[in-house]
């Protein structure tokens, strides 16, 4: 038998109204990635796996996100929000092209795994017409209930339409279904809107397939995989589940998390071996941490790469475009942005390094600031290898400091410094012998006089 073709239709036309947000629901992030990105990441992508995404009107941002992740995706717009079956049929043209399997996925269930999709596809290969993903909900309120007769699924009842007894049912509809692709359109076209919300409910496919005398199969999974996100509270629950997974995966690859529950990761965080993350660290999207690096407490990293055996923090902020070479050190209260620090560079205390490149083994003294912004434009600072920048220096960009150059503390450097030069910019010091003693005497006398009055 040749490879089977499949079409995945992702329903992403949610307005996000119950999220109370201007942002379309499926663009809300979990672990630094949109809900949609998580769902697309788990959906089938083998050769022959086509993808259609159904979006709401004026949701170009959702289309852009889908295309960014899957350039092969076909985008369909559901003009009116008339229910989940209506939404699937917005992709009619793609469905009519005919695939062996039609998978329907909700864009608001970000915790689903690729393995679960595979489990749900298996029954179709054995002749089932429809497979429905179910789960036992701790609190089933709001979910569609799977109504069973023995081990036969006879219907799915939406919460709003369910009787008191039906509401007792804990087995719920996850929202993911797979159809025999050859029969899908016929089934979808038969779904009506005779329910309390006058919506075309995808779940009514179950009764129709039963009537056709074809087989419906229920595959069960864990609630943590299929939490549907309708509110900000549910978004936070999904984040909790996802963070627990990411931490477990990090520890699996050998990362030491001293206090796992206090570390926030992103879905795309990449670790080498023997990385240590101290308590209370936030790692945003796009971070790579190489072997042996240590991220000390209270550091915040986004879109940065950390070299082997490098050290960051405590209390460091690495903004997008920061790259630390092997063994480099970023210490406390240091902020870096769009900065490349080559191997062995040290920026140990209280500095801002932005739009900069720093050559290997240079030492940047406490309080050094790259003055990268003139109020209109950003400028670059370039420091050579083995340079020494004295404490509390301001480097006014654009500026070049040569290899092995030495900048005296407290300097405001506005002109390029050649290799191995020493640059110093400060007024000469005046020292008056006995000056402090005389000053103290004058002040103490004045104080005594005032007290005696
Ligand atoms: C839906 C299911 C319910 C299930 C629950 C699981 C139906 C009728 N109900 O309910 O059985 O237990 O999900 O989370 O299928 N959407 C559109 N266009 C529409 C309506 C919805 O694109 O016209 C999309 C939404 O963006 C969302 C998904 O379909 O991604 C589900 O819609 P939602 O309104 O969240 O359905 P629930 O009430 O949660
Ligand atoms: Ca939902």
């Amino acid at each position: 038998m040749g490879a089977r073709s499949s079409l995945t239709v992702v329903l992403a036309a949610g307005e996000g109204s119950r999220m109370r947000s201007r942002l379309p629901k499926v663009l809300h992030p979990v672990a630094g990635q949109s809900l949609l990105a998580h769902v697309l990441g788990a959906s089938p992508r083998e050769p022959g796996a086509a993808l259609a995404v159904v979006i709401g009107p004026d949701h170009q941002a959702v289309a852009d996100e889908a295309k960014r992740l899957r350039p092969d995706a076909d985008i369909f717009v559901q003009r009116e929000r008339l229910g989940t079956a209506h939404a699937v049929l917005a992709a009619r043209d793609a469905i009519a092209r005919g695939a062996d399997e039609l998978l329907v996925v909700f864009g608001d269930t970000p915790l689903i795994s690729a393995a679960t999709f595979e489990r749900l596809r298996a029954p179709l290969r054995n002749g089932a017409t429809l497979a429905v993903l179910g789960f036992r909900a701790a609190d089933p309120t709001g979910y569609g209930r799977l109504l069973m007769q023995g081990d036969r699924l006879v219907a799915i009842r939406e919460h709003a339409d369910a009787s008191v007894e039906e509401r007792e049912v804990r087995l719920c509809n996850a929202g993911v279904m797979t159809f025999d692709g050859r029969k899908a359109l016929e089934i979808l076209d038969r779904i009506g809107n005779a329910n309390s919300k006058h919506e075309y409910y995808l779940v009514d496919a179950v009764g129709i397939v039963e009537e056709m005398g074809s087989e419906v199969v229920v595959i069960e999974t864990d609630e943590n995989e299929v939490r549907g996100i309708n509110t900000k509270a549910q978004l936070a629950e999904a984040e909790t589940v996802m963070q627990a997974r990411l931490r477990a995966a990090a520890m699996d690859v050998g990362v030491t998390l001293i206090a796992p529950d206090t570390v926030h990761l992103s879905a795309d965080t990449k670790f080498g071996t023997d990385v240590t993350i101290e308590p209370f660290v936030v790692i945003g999207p796009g971070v790579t941490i190489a072997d042996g690096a240590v991220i000390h407490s209270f550091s915040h990293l986004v879109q940065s790469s950390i070299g082997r055996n490098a050290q960051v923090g405590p209390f460091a902020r690495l903004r997008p475009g920061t790259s630390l070479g092997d063994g480099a050190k970023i210490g406390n209260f240091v902020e870096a942005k769009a900065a490349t620090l080559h191997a062995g560079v040290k920026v140990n205390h209280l500095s801002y390094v932005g739009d900069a490149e720093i050559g290997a083994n240079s030492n940047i003294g406490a309080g050094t600031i790259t003055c990268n912004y003139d109020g209109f434009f950003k400028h670059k600072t370039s420091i050579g290898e083995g340079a020494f920048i004295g404490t509390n220096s301001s480097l006014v960009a654009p500026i070049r400091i040569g290899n092995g150059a030495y900048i005296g503390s407290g300097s405001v450097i506005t002109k390029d410094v050649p290799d191995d030069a020493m640059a110093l910019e400060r007024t000469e010091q005046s020292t008056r012998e006995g000056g402090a003693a005389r000053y103290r005497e004058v002040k103490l006398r004045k104080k005594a006089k005032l007290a005696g009055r």
Side-chain angles (χ1 to χ4, degrees):
M1 205 174 79
R4 288 167 67 90
S5 59
S6 72
L7 169 69
T8 303
V9 177
V10 177
L11 304 189
E15 283 298 308
S17 55
R18 285 178 63 206
M19 302 290 273
R20 310 245 183 271
S21 170
R22 271 184 241 280
L23 191 67
K25 176 160 80 173
V26 298
L27 295 186
H28 281 76
V30 165
Q33 285 186 354
S34 65
L35 303 184
L36 187 62
H38 286 285
V39 172
L40 296 189
S43 331
R45 50 192 327 167
E46 73 273 353
L51 174 70
V53 179
V54 177
I55 66 171
D58 311 318
H59 276 182
Q60 185 57 38
V62 179
D64 293 345
E65 172 76 341
K67 282 285 192 187
R68 182 180 72 81
L69 298 155
R70 282 282 296 265
D72 62 319
D74 273 326
I75 309 292
F76 296 91
V77 178
Q78 184 194 22
R79 303 243 157 254
E80 277 176 294
R81 194 182 157 81
L82 299 180
T84 44
H86 180 261
V88 178
L89 283 171
R92 178 185 291 277
D93 292 350
I95 301 168
R97 254 173 250 145
D100 296 316
E101 299 166 7
L102 170 68
L103 288 73
V104 178
V105 194
F106 293 169
D108 68 350
T109 52
L111 300 169
I112 191 135
S113 71
T116 297
F117 275 112
E118 288 315 306
R119 280 210 294 140
L120 197 67
R121 293 168 74 181
L124 300 188
R125 287 167 203 157
N126 299 321
T129 296
L130 178 62
V132 171
L133 189 62
F135 67 101
R136 311 235 164 225
D139 174 10
T141 310
Y143 287 115
R145 308 300 205 282
L146 300 193
L147 306 183
M148 310 291 292
Q149 269 173 18
D151 52 11
R152 243 183 77 227
L153 175 66
V154 287
I156 303 180
R157 190 82 73 235
E158 285 304 287
H159 184 88
D161 302 303
S163 67
V164 177
E165 301 89 79
E166 285 168 346
R167 286 186 180 183
E168 294 295 311
V169 173
R170 286 278 198 86
L171 185 60
C172 293
N173 172 32
V176 190
M177 293 185 189
T178 57
F179 292 80
D180 178 333
R182 288 163 295 255
K183 299 183 192 155
L185 212 47
E186 180 197 341
I187 297 164
L188 292 165
D189 275 330
R190 281 171 61 180
I191 294 175
N193 66 348
N195 52 57
S196 64
K197 289 189 180 164
H198 305 291
E199 281 190 8
Y200 296 86
Y201 285 164
L202 183 62
V203 299
D204 290 350
V206 172
I208 292 164
V209 174
E210 283 282 321
E211 271 171 40
M212 291 163 64
S214 303
E215 192 190 356
V216 182
V217 174
V218 178
I219 300 289
E220 267 194 60
T221 189
D222 189 84
E223 174 162 23
N224 276 342
E225 257 204 75
V226 291
R227 291 170 185 277
I229 313 296
N230 290 337
T231 64
K232 287 282 170 80
Q234 289 168 337
L235 185 70
E237 284 169 18
E239 184 76 57
T240 303
V241 173
M242 186 62 82
Q243 288 296 331
R245 278 191 202 170
L246 293 173
R247 291 176 199 125
M251 291 187 278
D252 268 355
V253 301
V255 176
T256 299
L257 298 179
I258 296 167
D261 289 353
T262 68
V263 173
H264 188 97
L265 303 174
S266 288
D268 64 354
T269 308
K270 291 188 182 60
F271 297 103
T273 51
D274 291 317
V275 168
T276 298
I277 314 265
E278 289 189 351
F280 300 102
V281 166
V282 176
I283 297 181
V287 173
T288 302
I289 305 176
D291 301 354
V294 180
I295 313 297
H296 297 282
S297 292
F298 304 106
S299 294
H300 188 285
L301 288 67
V302 177
Q303 285 170 41
S304 294
S305 85
I306 312 302
R308 273 181 282 141
N309 301 317
Q311 303 234 10
V312 174
F315 297 98
R317 178 169 184 213
L318 303 194
R319 292 168 53 203
T322 301
S323 162
L324 302 190
D326 294 349
K329 277 184 79 177
I330 289 266
N332 42 262
F333 306 107
V334 171
E335 173 181 346
K337 182 216 75 169
T340 301
L341 278 58
H342 291 281
V345 168
K346 292 190 179 68
V347 189
N348 274 339
H349 339 263
L350 300 153
S351 280
Y352 172 62
V353 180
D355 301 305
E357 176 159 9
I358 305 179
N361 300 316
S362 286
N363 187 94
I364 311 299
T368 297
I369 303 291
T370 55
C371 310
N372 63 326
Y373 185 50
D374 59 15
F376 299 90
F377 301 103
K378 299 281 169 66
H379 303 283
K380 212 181 148 180
T381 297
S382 151
I383 299 175
E385 293 181 5
F388 183 96
I389 311 297
T391 299
N392 214 28
S393 295
S394 297
L395 308 178
V396 182
I399 192 109
R400 288 186 68 90
I401 314 282
N403 296 327
Y406 196 106
I407 307 295
S409 297
S411 296
V412 177
I413 299 296
T414 52
K415 296 190 208 93
D416 289 357
V417 179
D419 289 358
D420 294 316
M422 179 176 292
L424 189 64
E425 190 283 334
R426 51 165 105 114
T427 50
E428 212 173 312
Q429 180 172 332
S430 83
T431 306
R432 278 167 274 172
E433 290 289 341
R438 286 195 296 280
Y439 180 79
R440 255 191 315 270
E441 218 171 278
V442 170
K443 292 294 176 185
L444 285 172
R445 224 181 292 132
K446 184 168 184 186
K447 212 171 176 183
K449 201 168 156 195
L450 287 170
R453 260 210 319 235

